[in-house]
Amino acid sequence: MSDNVYRVTEVVGSSTKGVEDAIRKAVDRAAQTLRHVDWFEVTEIRGHVEHNELSHYQVGLKIGFRLETQDERPTTTP
């Protein structure tokens, strides 16, 4: 791993299918907004029960995205 600096944001993914699907949805959605998403950490798992049955999963995540270097920044036009 090279020398990088990261910023961390927290998101919550949810799914009726399972924990893995909730994680995947959260990471996929974060990657649509953030550039250079490199890692995630699951911070919490919880679920919702309806009528005595599991209804859906919620997964809290920290998403790490690499801060751009001077060379990687998009150029702006005046």
Coordinates of all heavy atoms in Angstrom, one line a residue:
M1 N 0.8 -1.2 0.0 CA 0.0 0.0 0.0 C 0.9 1.2 0.0 O 1.8 1.3 0.8 CB -0.9 0.0 1.2 CG -1.8 1.2 1.3 SD -2.9 1.1 2.8 CE -4.2 0.2 2.2
S2 N 0.6 2.2 -0.9 CA 1.4 3.4 -0.9 C 0.9 4.4 0.1 O -0.1 4.2 0.9 CB 1.2 4.0 -2.3 OG -0.1 4.3 -2.6
D3 N 1.6 5.5 0.3 CA 1.3 6.5 1.2 C 0.1 7.3 0.8 O 0.2 8.0 -0.2 CB 2.5 7.4 1.4 CG 3.7 6.7 2.0 OD1 3.5 5.7 2.7 OD2 4.8 7.2 1.7
N4 N -1.0 7.1 1.5 CA -2.2 7.8 1.1 C -2.8 8.5 2.3 O -2.5 8.1 3.5 CB -3.3 6.9 0.5 CG -2.8 6.3 -0.8 OD1 -2.4 7.0 -1.7 ND2 -2.9 5.0 -1.0
V5 N -3.7 9.4 2.1 CA -4.5 10.0 3.2 C -6.0 9.8 2.8 O -6.4 9.9 1.7 CB -4.2 11.5 3.3 CG1 -5.2 12.2 4.3 CG2 -2.8 11.8 3.6
Y6 N -6.8 9.3 3.8 CA -8.1 9.0 3.6 C -9.1 9.9 4.4 O -8.7 10.4 5.5 CB -8.4 7.5 4.0 CG -7.7 6.6 3.2 CD1 -6.4 6.1 3.5 CD2 -8.3 6.0 2.0 CE1 -5.7 5.2 2.7 CE2 -7.6 5.2 1.2 CZ -6.4 4.7 1.5 OH -5.7 3.9 0.7
R7 N -10.3 10.1 3.9 CA -11.3 10.7 4.6 C -12.4 9.6 4.8 O -12.5 8.7 4.0 CB -12.0 11.8 3.9 CG -13.1 12.5 4.6 CD -13.4 13.8 4.0 NE -14.4 14.4 4.9 CZ -14.3 15.6 5.5 NH1 -13.2 16.2 5.4 NH2 -15.3 16.0 6.2
V8 N -13.1 9.6 5.9 CA -14.1 8.6 6.3 C -15.4 9.2 6.4 O -15.6 10.3 7.0 CB -13.7 7.9 7.6 CG1 -14.7 6.8 8.0 CG2 -12.3 7.3 7.5
T9 N -16.4 8.5 5.8 CA -17.8 8.9 6.0 C -18.6 7.7 6.4 O -18.2 6.6 6.2 CB -18.4 9.5 4.7 OG1 -19.6 10.1 4.9 CG2 -18.5 8.5 3.6
E10 N -19.7 8.0 7.1 CA -20.5 6.9 7.6 C -21.8 6.8 6.8 O -22.5 7.8 6.5 CB -20.8 7.0 9.1 CG -19.6 6.9 9.9 CD -19.8 6.9 11.4 OE1 -20.6 6.0 11.8 OE2 -19.2 7.7 12.1
V11 N -22.2 5.6 6.5 CA -23.5 5.3 5.7 C -24.2 4.1 6.4 O -23.6 3.3 7.1 CB -23.3 5.1 4.2 CG1 -22.6 6.3 3.6 CG2 -22.4 3.9 4.0
V12 N -25.5 4.0 6.0 CA -26.2 2.8 6.5 C -26.9 2.2 5.2 O -27.6 2.9 4.5 CB -27.3 3.1 7.5 CG1 -28.1 1.9 7.9 CG2 -26.6 3.7 8.8
G13 N -26.6 0.9 5.0 CA -27.2 0.2 3.9 C -28.3 -0.7 4.5 O -28.2 -1.2 5.6
S14 N -29.4 -0.9 3.7 CA -30.5 -1.8 4.2 C -30.9 -2.7 3.1 O -30.7 -2.4 1.9 CB -31.7 -1.0 4.7 OG -32.2 -0.2 3.6
S15 N -31.4 -3.9 3.5 CA -31.8 -4.9 2.5 C -32.8 -5.9 3.2 O -32.6 -6.2 4.3 CB -30.6 -5.7 2.0 OG -31.0 -6.8 1.2
T16 N -33.7 -6.4 2.4 CA -34.5 -7.5 2.8 C -33.9 -8.8 2.6 O -34.3 -9.8 3.2 CB -35.9 -7.4 2.1 OG1 -35.7 -7.5 0.7 CG2 -36.7 -6.2 2.4
K17 N -32.8 -8.9 1.8 CA -32.2 -10.1 1.5 C -31.1 -10.6 2.5 O -30.9 -11.8 2.7 CB -31.5 -10.0 0.1 CG -32.5 -9.8 -1.0 CD -31.8 -9.7 -2.3 CE -32.8 -9.3 -3.4 NZ -32.2 -9.1 -4.7
G18 N -30.4 -9.7 3.1 CA -29.3 -10.1 4.0 C -28.3 -9.0 4.2 O -28.3 -7.9 3.6
V19 N -27.4 -9.3 5.1 CA -26.3 -8.4 5.5 C -25.4 -8.1 4.3 O -25.0 -6.9 4.1 CB -25.5 -9.0 6.7 CG1 -24.3 -8.1 7.0 CG2 -26.4 -9.1 8.0
E20 N -25.0 -9.1 3.6 CA -24.1 -8.9 2.5 C -24.7 -8.0 1.4 O -24.0 -7.1 0.9 CB -23.7 -10.2 1.9 CG -22.6 -10.1 0.8 CD -22.2 -11.4 0.2 OE1 -22.3 -12.4 0.8 OE2 -21.6 -11.4 -1.0
D21 N -25.9 -8.2 1.2 CA -26.6 -7.3 0.2 C -26.7 -5.9 0.7 O -26.5 -4.9 -0.1 CB -28.0 -7.9 -0.1 CG -28.7 -7.2 -1.3 OD1 -28.1 -7.1 -2.3 OD2 -29.9 -6.7 -1.1
A22 N -26.9 -5.7 2.0 CA -27.0 -4.3 2.5 C -25.6 -3.7 2.4 O -25.5 -2.5 2.1 CB -27.4 -4.4 4.0
I23 N -24.6 -4.4 2.7 CA -23.2 -3.9 2.5 C -22.9 -3.5 1.1 O -22.5 -2.4 0.8 CB -22.1 -4.9 3.0 CG1 -22.2 -5.1 4.5 CG2 -20.7 -4.4 2.6 CD1 -21.4 -6.3 5.0
R24 N -23.3 -4.4 0.2 CA -23.0 -4.1 -1.2 C -23.8 -2.9 -1.7 O -23.2 -2.0 -2.4 CB -23.4 -5.3 -2.0 CG -23.0 -5.3 -3.5 CD -23.2 -6.6 -4.2 NE -22.7 -7.8 -3.5 CZ -21.4 -8.1 -3.5 NH1 -20.5 -7.4 -4.2 NH2 -20.9 -9.1 -2.8
K25 N -25.0 -2.7 -1.3 CA -25.8 -1.6 -1.7 C -25.2 -0.3 -1.1 O -25.1 0.7 -1.8 CB -27.2 -1.7 -1.2 CG -28.1 -2.7 -2.0 CD -29.5 -2.8 -1.4 CE -30.3 -3.8 -2.3 NZ -31.7 -3.9 -1.8
A26 N -24.7 -0.3 0.1 CA -24.2 0.9 0.7 C -22.9 1.3 0.0 O -22.6 2.5 -0.3 CB -23.9 0.7 2.2
V27 N -22.0 0.3 -0.3 CA -20.7 0.6 -0.9 C -21.0 1.1 -2.4 O -20.3 2.1 -2.8 CB -19.8 -0.6 -0.9 CG1 -18.5 -0.4 -1.8 CG2 -19.4 -0.9 0.5
D28 N -21.9 0.4 -3.1 CA -22.1 0.8 -4.5 C -22.7 2.2 -4.5 O -22.3 3.0 -5.4 CB -23.1 -0.2 -5.1 CG -22.6 -1.5 -5.4 OD1 -21.3 -1.7 -5.4 OD2 -23.3 -2.5 -5.7
R29 N -23.6 2.5 -3.6 CA -24.2 3.9 -3.6 C -23.1 5.0 -3.3 O -23.1 6.0 -3.9 CB -25.4 4.0 -2.7 CG -26.0 5.3 -2.6 CD -26.6 5.7 -4.0 NE -27.1 7.0 -3.9 CZ -26.5 8.1 -4.2 NH1 -25.2 8.1 -4.6 NH2 -27.0 9.3 -4.2
A30 N -22.3 4.7 -2.3 CA -21.3 5.6 -1.9 C -20.3 5.9 -3.0 O -19.9 7.0 -3.3 CB -20.5 5.1 -0.7
A31 N -20.0 4.8 -3.8 CA -19.0 4.9 -4.9 C -19.6 5.8 -6.1 O -18.9 6.3 -6.9 CB -18.6 3.6 -5.4
Q32 N -20.9 5.9 -6.1 CA -21.5 6.8 -7.1 C -21.3 8.3 -6.8 O -21.3 9.1 -7.7 CB -23.0 6.6 -7.2 CG -23.4 5.2 -7.8 CD -24.9 5.0 -7.7 OE1 -25.7 5.9 -7.6 NE2 -25.3 3.7 -7.8
T33 N -21.1 8.6 -5.5 CA -20.9 10.0 -5.1 C -19.5 10.3 -4.8 O -19.0 11.5 -5.1 CB -21.8 10.2 -3.8 OG1 -23.1 9.9 -4.1 CG2 -21.7 11.7 -3.4
L34 N -18.7 9.4 -4.3 CA -17.4 9.6 -3.8 C -16.4 9.0 -4.8 O -16.6 7.9 -5.4 CB -17.1 9.0 -2.5 CG -18.1 9.4 -1.3 CD1 -17.9 8.5 -0.1 CD2 -17.8 10.9 -1.0
R35 N -15.3 9.7 -5.0 CA -14.2 9.2 -5.9 C -13.2 8.4 -5.0 O -13.0 8.8 -3.8 CB -13.5 10.3 -6.7 CG -14.4 10.9 -7.7 CD -13.6 11.8 -8.6 NE -12.9 12.9 -8.0 CZ -13.5 14.1 -7.8 NH1 -14.7 14.4 -8.3 NH2 -12.8 15.1 -7.2
H36 N -12.5 7.5 -5.5 CA -11.4 6.7 -4.9 C -11.9 6.0 -3.6 O -11.1 6.0 -2.6 CB -10.3 7.7 -4.5 CG -9.9 8.6 -5.7 ND1 -9.4 8.1 -6.9 CD2 -9.9 9.9 -5.8 CE1 -9.2 9.1 -7.7 NE2 -9.5 10.2 -7.0
V37 N -13.0 5.4 -3.6 CA -13.5 4.5 -2.5 C -12.5 3.3 -2.4 O -12.4 2.6 -3.4 CB -14.9 4.1 -2.6 CG1 -15.3 3.1 -1.5 CG2 -15.8 5.3 -2.5
D38 N -11.8 3.1 -1.3 CA -10.9 2.1 -1.2 C -11.2 1.0 -0.2 O -10.7 -0.1 -0.3 CB -9.5 2.7 -0.8 CG -8.8 3.3 -2.0 OD1 -9.3 3.1 -3.2 OD2 -7.7 3.9 -1.8
W39 N -12.0 1.3 0.9 CA -12.2 0.3 1.9 C -13.5 0.7 2.7 O -14.1 1.7 2.5 CB -11.0 0.2 2.9 CG -10.7 1.5 3.5 CD1 -9.7 2.4 3.1 CD2 -11.2 2.1 4.7 NE1 -9.6 3.5 4.0 CE2 -10.5 3.3 5.0 CE3 -12.1 1.6 5.7 CZ2 -10.8 4.1 6.1 CZ3 -12.4 2.4 6.8 CH2 -11.7 3.6 7.0
F40 N -14.0 -0.3 3.4 CA -15.1 -0.1 4.3 C -14.9 -0.9 5.6 O -14.1 -1.9 5.6 CB -16.4 -0.5 3.6 CG -16.6 -2.0 3.4 CD1 -17.2 -2.8 4.4 CD2 -16.2 -2.6 2.3 CE1 -17.4 -4.1 4.3 CE2 -16.4 -4.0 2.1 CZ -17.0 -4.8 3.1
E41 N -15.6 -0.5 6.6 CA -15.6 -1.2 7.9 C -17.0 -1.3 8.4 O -17.7 -0.3 8.5 CB -14.7 -0.4 8.9 CG -14.8 -0.9 10.3 CD -14.0 0.0 11.3 OE1 -13.4 1.0 10.8 OE2 -14.2 -0.2 12.5
V42 N -17.5 -2.5 8.7 CA -18.8 -2.6 9.3 C -18.7 -2.2 10.8 O -17.9 -2.8 11.5 CB -19.3 -4.1 9.1 CG1 -20.6 -4.3 9.9 CG2 -19.4 -4.5 7.7
T43 N -19.6 -1.3 11.1 CA -19.6 -0.8 12.5 C -20.7 -1.3 13.3 O -20.6 -1.3 14.5 CB -19.6 0.8 12.5 OG1 -20.7 1.2 11.8 CG2 -18.3 1.3 11.9
E44 N -21.8 -1.6 12.7 CA -23.0 -2.2 13.4 C -23.9 -2.9 12.4 O -23.9 -2.6 11.2 CB -23.7 -1.1 14.1 CG -24.2 0.1 13.3 CD -24.8 1.2 14.1 OE1 -25.4 0.9 15.2 OE2 -24.7 2.3 13.7
I45 N -24.6 -3.9 13.0 CA -25.6 -4.6 12.2 C -26.8 -4.7 13.1 O -26.8 -5.0 14.3 CB -25.1 -6.1 12.0 CG1 -23.8 -6.1 11.1 CG2 -26.2 -6.9 11.3 CD1 -23.2 -7.5 11.0
R46 N -27.9 -4.3 12.5 CA -29.2 -4.4 13.2 C -30.3 -4.8 12.2 O -30.0 -4.8 11.0 CB -29.5 -3.1 13.8 CG -29.7 -1.9 12.9 CD -29.9 -0.6 13.7 NE -29.8 0.5 12.8 CZ -28.7 1.2 12.6 NH1 -27.6 0.9 13.3 NH2 -28.7 2.2 11.8
G47 N -31.4 -5.1 12.7 CA -32.5 -5.5 11.8 C -33.9 -5.1 12.3 O -34.0 -4.5 13.4
H48 N -34.8 -5.3 11.5 CA -36.2 -5.0 11.9 C -37.1 -6.2 11.8 O -37.0 -7.0 10.9 CB -36.7 -3.9 10.9 CG -38.1 -3.4 11.2 ND1 -38.3 -2.5 12.3 CD2 -39.3 -3.6 10.6 CE1 -39.6 -2.3 12.3 NE2 -40.2 -2.9 11.3
V49 N -37.9 -6.4 12.9 CA -38.8 -7.5 13.0 C -40.2 -7.1 12.8 O -40.6 -6.1 13.5 CB -38.6 -8.3 14.3 CG1 -39.5 -9.4 14.4 CG2 -37.1 -8.7 14.4
E50 N -41.0 -7.7 11.9 CA -42.4 -7.5 11.8 C -43.1 -8.8 11.9 O -42.8 -9.8 11.2 CB -42.7 -6.8 10.4 CG -42.2 -5.4 10.3 CD -42.6 -4.8 9.0 OE1 -43.3 -5.4 8.2 OE2 -42.1 -3.6 8.7
H51 N -44.2 -8.8 12.7 CA -45.0 -10.0 12.9 C -44.2 -11.2 13.2 O -44.4 -12.3 12.7 CB -45.8 -10.3 11.6 CG -46.6 -9.1 11.1 ND1 -47.7 -8.5 11.8 CD2 -46.4 -8.3 10.0 CE1 -48.1 -7.5 11.1 NE2 -47.4 -7.3 10.0
N52 N -43.2 -11.0 14.1 CA -42.3 -12.0 14.7 C -41.4 -12.7 13.6 O -40.9 -13.8 13.8 CB -43.2 -13.2 15.3 CG -43.9 -12.7 16.6 OD1 -43.3 -11.8 17.3 ND2 -45.1 -13.2 16.8
E53 N -41.2 -12.0 12.5 CA -40.3 -12.5 11.5 C -39.3 -11.3 11.0 O -39.7 -10.2 11.1 CB -41.1 -12.9 10.2 CG -41.9 -14.2 10.5 CD -42.4 -14.8 9.3 OE1 -41.9 -14.5 8.2 OE2 -43.3 -15.7 9.4
L54 N -38.2 -11.7 10.7 CA -37.2 -10.8 10.2 C -37.7 -10.1 9.0 O -38.0 -10.7 8.0 CB -35.8 -11.5 9.9 CG -34.7 -10.6 9.6 CD1 -34.1 -10.1 10.9 CD2 -33.7 -11.2 8.7
S55 N -37.7 -8.7 9.0 CA -38.2 -7.9 7.9 C -37.1 -7.4 7.0 O -37.1 -7.6 5.8 CB -39.0 -6.8 8.4 OG -39.5 -6.0 7.4
H56 N -36.1 -6.8 7.6 CA -34.9 -6.3 6.8 C -33.7 -6.1 7.7 O -33.9 -6.0 9.0 CB -35.3 -5.1 6.0 CG -35.5 -3.8 6.8 ND1 -36.7 -3.5 7.3 CD2 -34.6 -2.9 7.2 CE1 -36.5 -2.3 8.0 NE2 -35.3 -1.9 8.0
Y57 N -32.6 -6.0 7.1 CA -31.3 -5.8 7.8 C -30.8 -4.4 7.5 O -31.1 -3.8 6.5 CB -30.2 -6.7 7.2 CG -30.5 -8.2 7.3 CD1 -31.3 -8.8 6.3 CD2 -30.0 -8.9 8.4 CE1 -31.6 -10.2 6.4 CE2 -30.3 -10.3 8.5 CZ -31.1 -10.9 7.5 OH -31.4 -12.3 7.6
Q58 N -30.2 -3.8 8.5 CA -29.5 -2.5 8.4 C -28.0 -2.7 8.8 O -27.8 -3.3 9.9 CB -30.1 -1.4 9.2 CG -31.5 -1.0 8.8 CD -32.0 0.1 9.6 OE1 -31.8 0.2 10.8 NE2 -32.8 1.0 9.0
V59 N -27.1 -2.2 8.0 CA -25.7 -2.3 8.3 C -25.0 -1.0 8.3 O -25.1 -0.2 7.3 CB -25.0 -3.3 7.3 CG1 -23.5 -3.4 7.6 CG2 -25.7 -4.6 7.3
G60 N -24.4 -0.6 9.4 CA -23.7 0.7 9.5 C -22.3 0.5 9.0 O -21.6 -0.5 9.4
L61 N -21.8 1.4 8.2 CA -20.5 1.2 7.6 C -19.7 2.5 7.7 O -20.3 3.6 7.6 CB -20.6 0.9 6.1 CG -21.3 -0.3 5.6 CD1 -21.6 -0.2 4.1 CD2 -20.4 -1.5 5.9
K62 N -18.4 2.4 7.8 CA -17.5 3.5 7.6 C -16.9 3.3 6.2 O -16.4 2.2 6.0 CB -16.4 3.6 8.7 CG -16.9 4.0 10.0 CD -15.8 4.2 11.0 CE -16.3 4.6 12.3 NZ -15.2 4.8 13.3
I63 N -17.0 4.3 5.4 CA -16.4 4.2 4.0 C -15.2 5.0 3.9 O -15.2 6.2 4.3 CB -17.4 4.7 3.0 CG1 -18.8 3.9 3.1 CG2 -16.8 4.6 1.6 CD1 -18.7 2.5 2.5
G64 N -14.0 4.4 3.5 CA -12.8 5.2 3.4 C -12.5 5.5 1.9 O -12.6 4.6 1.1
F65 N -12.4 6.8 1.7 CA -12.0 7.2 0.3 C -10.8 8.0 0.3 O -10.5 8.9 1.2 CB -13.2 7.9 -0.4 CG -13.7 9.1 0.3 CD1 -13.3 10.4 -0.2 CD2 -14.6 9.1 1.3 CE1 -13.8 11.6 0.5 CE2 -15.1 10.2 1.9 CZ -14.7 11.4 1.5
R66 N -9.9 7.8 -0.6 CA -8.6 8.4 -0.7 C -8.7 9.8 -1.2 O -9.4 10.1 -2.1 CB -7.7 7.6 -1.7 CG -6.3 8.1 -1.8 CD -5.5 7.1 -2.7 NE -6.2 6.4 -3.7 CZ -6.4 6.8 -4.9 NH1 -6.0 8.0 -5.3 NH2 -7.1 6.1 -5.8
L67 N -8.1 10.7 -0.4 CA -8.0 12.1 -0.9 C -7.1 12.3 -2.1 O -6.0 11.6 -2.1 CB -7.6 13.0 0.3 CG -8.5 13.1 1.5 CD1 -7.9 14.0 2.6 CD2 -9.9 13.5 1.1
E68 N -7.5 13.1 -3.0 CA -6.8 13.2 -4.3 C -5.5 14.0 -4.0 O -5.4 14.9 -3.2 CB -7.6 14.0 -5.3 CG -8.8 13.2 -5.7 CD -9.7 14.0 -6.6 OE1 -9.7 15.3 -6.6 OE2 -10.5 13.4 -7.4
T69 N -4.5 13.5 -4.8 CA -3.2 14.3 -4.8 C -3.4 15.4 -5.8 O -4.4 15.5 -6.5 CB -2.0 13.4 -5.3 OG1 -2.3 13.0 -6.6 CG2 -1.9 12.2 -4.4
Q70 N -2.4 16.3 -5.8 CA -2.5 17.5 -6.7 C -2.6 17.0 -8.2 O -3.4 17.6 -8.9 CB -1.2 18.3 -6.6 CG -1.2 19.7 -7.1 CD -2.1 20.6 -6.2 OE1 -2.4 20.3 -5.1 NE2 -2.5 21.7 -6.8
D71 N -2.0 15.9 -8.6 CA -2.0 15.4 -10.0 C -3.4 14.8 -10.3 O -3.8 14.8 -11.5 CB -1.0 14.3 -10.2 CG 0.4 14.9 -10.0 OD1 0.6 16.1 -10.2 OD2 1.4 14.1 -9.8
E72 N -4.1 14.3 -9.3 CA -5.4 13.6 -9.6 C -6.6 14.6 -9.6 O -7.7 14.2 -10.0 CB -5.7 12.6 -8.5 CG -4.7 11.4 -8.5 CD -5.0 10.5 -7.4 OE1 -5.1 10.9 -6.2 OE2 -5.0 9.3 -7.7
R73 N -6.4 15.8 -9.2 CA -7.6 16.7 -9.1 C -8.0 17.1 -10.5 O -7.2 17.3 -11.4 CB -7.2 18.0 -8.3 CG -7.0 17.7 -6.9 CD -6.8 19.0 -6.1 NE -6.5 18.7 -4.7 CZ -5.7 19.3 -4.0 NH1 -5.0 20.3 -4.5 NH2 -5.5 18.9 -2.7
P74 N -9.4 17.1 -10.7 CA -9.9 17.5 -12.0 C -9.6 19.0 -12.3 O -9.5 19.8 -11.4 CB -11.4 17.3 -11.8 CG -11.7 16.8 -10.5 CD -10.4 16.8 -9.7
T75 N -9.3 19.2 -13.5 CA -9.0 20.6 -13.9 C -10.3 21.3 -14.1 O -11.3 20.8 -14.6 CB -8.2 20.6 -15.3 OG1 -9.0 19.9 -16.3 CG2 -6.9 20.0 -15.1
T76 N -10.3 22.6 -13.7 CA -11.5 23.4 -13.9 C -11.2 24.5 -15.0 O -10.1 25.0 -15.1 CB -11.9 24.1 -12.6 OG1 -10.8 24.9 -12.1 CG2 -12.3 23.1 -11.5
T77 N -12.3 24.8 -15.7 CA -12.1 25.8 -16.7 C -12.7 27.1 -16.2 O -13.8 27.1 -15.6 CB -12.8 25.4 -18.0 OG1 -14.2 25.1 -17.7 CG2 -12.1 24.2 -18.6
P78 N -12.0 28.2 -16.4 CA -12.6 29.5 -15.9 C -13.8 30.0 -16.6 O -14.3 29.6 -17.5 CB -11.4 30.5 -16.1 CG -10.4 29.8 -16.9 CD -10.8 28.4 -17.0

